[in-house]
Structure formats: structure tokens, C-alpha cells
Amino acid sequence: MNKNYSKWNVFAAVVVLASGALLACSQVEAPKTVDPGLADSHWEAPVATHGDAPHDWSALEKSLKPEACGQCHAEQFGDWKKSLHAAAYSPGLIGQFPGMGHVEGNDCLKCHAPLAEQKYVSNRDMLNSLQTKLKQPTGFPENGELDDRQRPLRHAGVTCAACHVRGWQRFGPPQRDTGKVGHVAGTAHGGFTATKDFERSNFCASCHQFPQEYAINGKPLENTVKEWQASRFAREDVQCQSCHMPDRKHLFRGIHDPEMTRKGLAIEFAKRGVQAVLTITSTWIGHAFPTYVTPKVLVRAEALNDDDTVLRKWQWEIIREVYYDEQWREKRDTRLLPGERREFVAQDFPEGSLRVRFVVEVIPDHFYKGVYAGLLSNALEGDAEELIRQAVKQADANDYTLYDEVVLL
Ligand code: HEC
Ligand code: HEC
Ligand code: HEC
Ligand code: HEC
Ligand code: HEC
């Protein structure tokens, strides 16, 4: 988000992962049938290491880099590296940092590269990182290559360790085949601690939900977990993971993925007397469509004559539009809530109209495009400028057409 976002930097500390706190009993080893839960501190200021690694561990077990985890967890690595979590240390993010300084930059990293081990120690450290990023090859290498100069841990964004490692210990969901919770012995990294907290929506809250005290027109800028809680999906025990990590896959597909968005909606065309009606229903989305203030969805209709000339146009926007004016304000909120059905009606067709065309377009990074344009008009320099230009290209490439049909009137 833009610069003012850092006003929410207290955010990470407020996260509620309370369920574990009641059961946790850190000194005494809990019986294996008791779910230890995640400590409150899991998301507060996550540190993956704490001191030296156990002396009998191999270099591979000691490494926090996703490429290292990937040697043994090839499936998760293969999926995760295609996800946006792997791309969270992005040009559009870090290109803003020279104008902010490394301390404010670190506030942004709370969600984009959350481990203590990923933070900047100085402004110089940050500026060097920008240079490395510009030279870094895109994507991740095949398993095995652990080149720290080209691909520092920081650049891996929301890494495996960000969710799974604290104080060298691995944490994960209940063991797949046995459903075991608590400490599970294993042949690598001293086994792991299994808890059902990994299967719950609250697990995602520290980065995908703002506290209520930052509400704008009653709703925080990021309100995904609350939206979910109010939906039938929460009542039916369909968690974020059910949709975004089916069968525990690590793809985390969202609005940037046309297939995912299509899967969440039912789009139907109908003629109704002198009207042409496109109906969009949110059938499988566990929050508002879209949940963030950053995407925009355009619904357009065109009346066409026999040689495809456009005789009339209609346009609607699905968006929660906010702007900053001393404080954040909401201009409008036309998003679809879970289960909501909305009609887009084209009528009063001009004479000669033969066909009508309905198009639904998704602009996932609409808000950021504005931020980048603003930054570029403010005379950015050097690496920052190059990074923001990359971000503009990427944001433009993310636009897609969700639906495009021409129907006889
Ligand atoms: C040398 C191989 C190896 C490396 C490297 C490795 N792991 Fe593991 N990991 C294992 C094995 C073996 C298990 C136990 C699997 C079991 O018993 O279900 C395991 C279990 C886990 C689990 C628990 C899975 C569950 O069922 O809940 C998590 C989470 C995990 N590892 C994360 C990581 C992360 C993150 C890294 C990198 C920072 C990593 N591992 C590096 C071999 C490895
Ligand atoms: C509370 C967690 C959180 C914090 C803190 C945060 N972001 Fe983000 N950011 C997100 C999430 C989640 C997304 C993806 C959803 C979206 O597109 O809005 C995102 C997306 C972005 C994007 C677009 C995608 C990309 O990576 O290029 C940019 C740019 C960005 N953030 C910049 C920032 C900046 C700058 C800061 C600090 C001022 C910041 N963010 C702080 C959670 C956060
Ligand atoms: C954003 C947080 C997040 C990141 C990043 C992440 N994971 Fe996970 N991982 C989870 C959650 C949540 C689950 C449990 C999902 C469920 O139970 O539905 C999980 C499950 C697992 C499991 C158990 C899989 C199984 O089939 O039983 C392993 C192993 C694992 N992750 C390893 C990794 C590795 C390796 C990486 C990096 C390449 C990684 N994770 C990145 C959150 C994350
Ligand atoms: C019933 C399935 C379902 C559930 C439950 C669900 N989502 Fe989604 N989510 C989707 C679909 C489909 C999309 C793509 C359409 C969209 O953007 O709304 C999506 C999009 C997203 C996006 C993209 C950004 C945006 O503006 O839409 C994020 C981030 C996200 N989900 C996070 C979450 C989190 C966090 C939870 C749990 C609190 C969750 N989702 C629960 C189906 C689901
Ligand atoms: C440590 C912070 C963090 C945690 C924890 C986290 N995310 Fe994210 N997530 C992010 C950031 C940052 C982005 C945006 C990456 C980018 O584009 O720069 C993101 C992006 C996403 C997207 C892609 C949205 C899109 O625009 O298409 C989905 C889906 C998503 N997260 C789901 C989840 C789910 C489900 C969980 C819990 C299992 C989760 N996340 C936990 C930080 C986090």
C-alpha cells in the first residue's frame, strides 16, 4: 500500500491467535493428544533462529532458505515459488523504500518479509538490497542452489520459515497420515510441533486483517478475516486454507489468477423483455469480492449494429474505493458480499442494435498503478525508479478479461 500504510505498523502486535494461549504449557511437555496451539508470540515479532542451531544438524537443516526446505519438501517448494507469497519482496514494494528510509521500510516488511532475519540493519543495507534485487535473476532456482549473494533470504518474501519456524523449531499442521498433534519425532530438524492452529483462518490474520480501530467507514482497509467470519463459510467450517490451500497445496491463488476468480463466481446472461441482463453471483468467495481496496472489476456492455459498430455503452465498477486526505476516507463500496447476486442491466437500446456484448475485466493492481504513477511523477532516481518501472509493467501485465460474450438481441 502507500506510505501512510505504515501507520498500521502496530498491527502485527495485535493479532489474535488466542486459542493456543489457553492450552499452552511451555515448560512441561504436553501429552501428545493435547494440541499445544501456537504461542501468542508466533506472529508478534517472528524470529526463526534464536541463537546457534543445534550442533548436530546438517547445513541443510540449518538453512532457513526456501530452496533448502525444498530439498526435502519439493512439493511445497514447487507450489510456493509460484505464489505471490514468494514474490512479496517486490519491486513495487522496495522501490518505495529510498523515499522512506530503512526503519519505515522494516515496518512494511512485517508482512512482506516478516522474519527478524530479513530486516534491514541500516539504510546502506537497504540500498544494497535494492541493487542486488535488480541484478537478481527472477524466480527461484532448481532445488539445491543456495547462493546468498544473488538471493538473500530477505528476497524470498513470505518464506516457509515465516510461517513454520520459530527458535529453530518447525511448526506445522497435524501430521498428515496420523492426525497427530503435539511434538512429532522425525528424521530431520528434530521433528516438528503439530497444531490445528495451522488449519484455521486466524493463522492468516496477522497479515490479512487490520484491527477495528483503523476502520474507515466502519471497515478496516484489510478486513478479510472479519468478512469471512460474517459469511456462511465460517459457519460451515470452510477456512481460508480450504479454498487457498486445497489439500494443503501452497499455491495461495487469489484475484491475480483468472481461474481462481472464475471459480468463485457464477456469471450468467439473460434477455428479459427489452433488457439485456448480466448476473454475477459470488458463490465460492469467503469474503467480499474483491476483499481489498486495491483491485477494480469493470463490467461493460456495448450495443452493436450489424457491422459491429458500437451504438451505446454502459459501464459499472466493482470496487471499494478509498483515498487519503489527512486521513483515509471511503468514496464508495460496490463489492459483492459472499452469496450476493447482482444484476447489470443494459436497456434503452438505440435503433439498429442487433447484438449486445458483455465484458468483465479485472484490474488486480488498480490502486497500486495510481501509487506508482504518483511516485514516478515525483522525480524518483536510480534504482528506485528502475524498480517502480518494473512494477508498472508487472501491474499492467496482471490485468485480464474474466468474461466476454456477444449475444443476439
Ligand atoms: C533434510 C530434509 C529436511 C529439510 C532440509 C527440511 N525438512 Fe521439514 N521435514 C522433514 C521430515 C523428514 C519431516 C517429517 C515428516 C513427517 O513425519 O510427517 C519434516 C516435517 C516438516 C513439517 C511438518 C509437516 C506436518 O505434517 O505438519 C514442516 C512444517 C516442515 N518440515 C517444514 C520445514 C521447513 C520450513 C524447512 C526449511 C526451513 C524444512 N522443513 C526443512 C525433512 C526436512
Ligand atoms: C498488514 C500487512 C501488510 C503491511 C504492513 C504492508 N503490506 Fe503491502 N501488501 C499486503 C498484502 C496482503 C498485499 C496483497 C494484497 C493487495 O494487493 O492489496 C500487499 C500488497 C502490496 C503491494 C502490491 C504488490 C506488490 O508486492 O508489488 C505493494 C506495492 C505494497 N503492498 C507495498 C507496501 C508498502 C510500501 C508497505 C509499507 C508502507 C506495505 N506494503 C505494508 C500486506 C501488507
Ligand atoms: C503463509 C504461510 C505459509 C508459508 C509461506 C508456507 N507454508 Fe507450509 N503450511 C502452511 C499452512 C497453513 C499449512 C497447513 C494447511 C492445512 O492444514 O490446510 C502448511 C502445511 C505445510 C506442510 C504439511 C504438508 C502436508 O501435506 O501435510 C509442509 C511440509 C509445509 N507446509 C512446508 C512448507 C514449505 C517447505 C514452505 C516453503 C517452500 C512452506 N510450507 C511455506 C503455511 C505456510
Ligand atoms: C470459499 C472460498 C474462499 C474462502 C473461504 C476464502 N477465500 Fe480468499 N478468495 C477466494 C476466491 C475465489 C478469490 C478470488 C476472487 C476475489 O478476489 O475475491 C479470493 C481472493 C483472495 C485474495 C485476493 C485479494 C482480493 O482483493 O480479493 C486474498 C488476499 C484472499 N482471498 C485471502 C483470504 C483469506 C485470508 C481468507 C480467510 C479469512 C480467505 N481468503 C477465505 C476464495 C476464498
Ligand atoms: C507474514 C504475512 C502473511 C501471512 C501470515 C499470510 N500472508 Fe497471504 N500474503 C501476504 C502478502 C504480503 C501478500 C502479497 C504479496 C505480494 O503480492 O506482494 C499475500 C498474498 C496472498 C494471496 C494472493 C492475493 C492475490 O492478490 O491474488 C493470497 C490468496 C493469500 N495471501 C492468502 C493467504 C492465506 C490463506 C494465508 C493463511 C494460510 C496467508 N495468506 C498468510 C502476507 C501474508
Side-chain angles (χ1 to χ4, degrees):
M1 306 264 328
N2 77 11
K3 214 171 158 184
N4 300 303
Y5 214 65
S6 57
K7 294 194 171 58
W8 283 281
N9 60 20
V10 278
F11 176 69
V14 190
V15 183
V16 211
L17 280 167
S19 56
L22 300 173
L23 290 171
C25 181
S26 54
Q27 303 307 316
V28 189
E29 222 204 328
K32 288 200 174 21
T33 46
V34 175
D35 191 324
L38 288 175
D40 283 348
S41 59
H42 195 82
W43 292 115
E44 264 169 26
V47 185
T49 50
H50 272 311
D52 295 334
H55 62 89
D56 53 345
W57 282 18
S58 64
L60 206 54
E61 289 162 285
K62 284 179 192 164
S63 173
L64 294 178
K65 299 188 71 179
E67 301 92 309
C69 315
Q71 295 266 331
C72 304
H73 301 287
E75 207 182 310
Q76 286 79 18
F77 177 61
D79 286 344
W80 169 86
K81 72 180 179 186
K82 290 181 235 153
S83 78
L84 281 174
H85 285 153
Y89 194 80
S90 64
L93 173 83
I94 64 173
Q96 301 187 41
F97 289 171
M100 297 165 52
H102 79 287
V103 176
E104 268 197 67
N106 277 339
D107 282 338
C108 308
L109 295 190
K110 277 180 181 154
C111 299
H112 285 263
L115 293 173
E117 290 82 352
Q118 294 176 295
K119 295 277 178 292
Y120 301 123
V121 297
S122 65
N123 231 37
R124 171 90 342 246
D125 185 26
M126 180 191 81
L127 294 172
N128 286 342
S129 168
L130 264 59
Q131 268 190 2
T132 310
K133 175 80 181 176
L134 278 169
K135 286 189 234 132
Q136 178 183 319
T138 48
F140 283 83
E142 288 311 305
N143 294 347
E145 187 199 316
L146 295 170
D147 184 341
D148 282 329
R149 278 175 309 127
Q150 280 200 10
R151 285 175 219 274
L153 175 68
R154 175 188 288 148
H155 292 206
V158 184
T159 62
C160 320
C163 292
H164 288 293
V165 186
R166 297 293 181 272
W168 294 110
Q169 253 194 92
R170 263 60 167 180
F171 293 85
Q175 195 178 30
R176 179 178 272 275
D177 298 327
T178 65
K180 244 193 228 171
V181 294
H183 189 263
V184 180
T187 50
H189 50 62
F192 64 97
T193 301
T195 163
K196 289 186 171 162
D197 283 359
F198 270 81
E199 298 173 327
R200 297 184 178 125
S201 288
N202 255 349
F203 185 86
C204 317
S206 69
C207 305
H208 289 286
Q209 173 70 44
F210 282 170
Q212 187 60 29
E213 61 204 272
Y214 296 114
I216 305 152
N217 197 15
K219 299 157 289 185
L221 267 192
E222 280 188 6
N223 203 26
T224 312
V225 181
K226 283 274 169 60
E227 290 167 0
W228 170 81
Q229 276 164 357
S231 77
R232 75 170 168 92
F233 297 103
R235 293 191 294 279
E236 292 168 9
D237 194 27
V238 179
Q239 313 285 320
C240 316
Q241 289 86 334
S242 322
C243 300
H244 290 289
M245 303 185 74
D247 195 29
R248 296 189 172 174
K249 283 173 87 65
H250 281 58
L251 287 166
F252 302 99
R253 301 190 303 155
I255 197 163
H256 288 79
D257 185 299
E259 280 316 306
M260 181 75 179
T261 307
R262 251 174 226 126
K263 208 170 155 187
L265 301 166
I267 308 183
E268 279 156 14
F269 172 84
K271 268 186 289 180
R272 200 167 56 197
V274 293
Q275 299 179 327
V277 185
L278 193 77
T279 308
I280 303 185
T281 314
S282 169
T283 50
W284 187 75
I285 302 177
H287 37 74
F289 168 66
T291 183
Y292 286 143
V293 297
T294 49
K296 175 156 96 175
V297 180
L298 280 178
V299 181
R300 293 192 286 114
E302 291 170 353
L304 307 171
N305 70 4
D306 55 357
D307 61 8
D308 278 347
T309 306
V310 179
L311 301 179
R312 186 175 171 186
K313 287 182 185 178
W314 295 259
Q315 180 167 308
W316 303 266
E317 296 182 349
I318 303 174
I319 188 173
R320 180 176 177 208
E321 193 173 2
V322 295
Y323 62 101
Y324 194 81
D325 168 23
E326 314 242 310
Q327 56 172 309
W328 283 102
R329 294 174 199 278
E330 180 178 286
K331 196 161 163 196
R332 56 188 168 142
D333 184 354
T334 60
R335 297 172 303 163
L336 267 73
L337 295 177
E340 189 175 341
R341 175 175 181 276
R342 187 159 322 147
E343 292 185 345
F344 300 88
V345 181
Q347 57 189 349
D348 300 328
F349 285 90
E351 209 172 309
S353 303
L354 271 190
R355 285 181 284 270
V356 62
R357 177 178 188 190
F358 270 103
V359 181
V360 182
E361 279 170 332
V362 181
I363 306 159
D365 299 323
H366 167 74
F367 179 87
Y368 297 112
K369 289 187 188 195
V371 172
Y372 302 148
L375 286 165
L376 288 172
S377 71
N378 275 340
L380 280 182
E381 281 170 19
D383 293 343
E385 182 180 356
E386 203 175 329
L387 285 160
I388 297 299
R389 290 202 188 283
Q390 277 186 12
V392 171
K393 252 198 203 157
Q394 184 58 57
D396 286 342
N398 288 339
D399 298 350
Y400 60 91
T401 301
L402 192 68
Y403 178 94
D404 187 348
E405 295 286 339
V406 181
V407 194
L408 273 178
L409 276 172

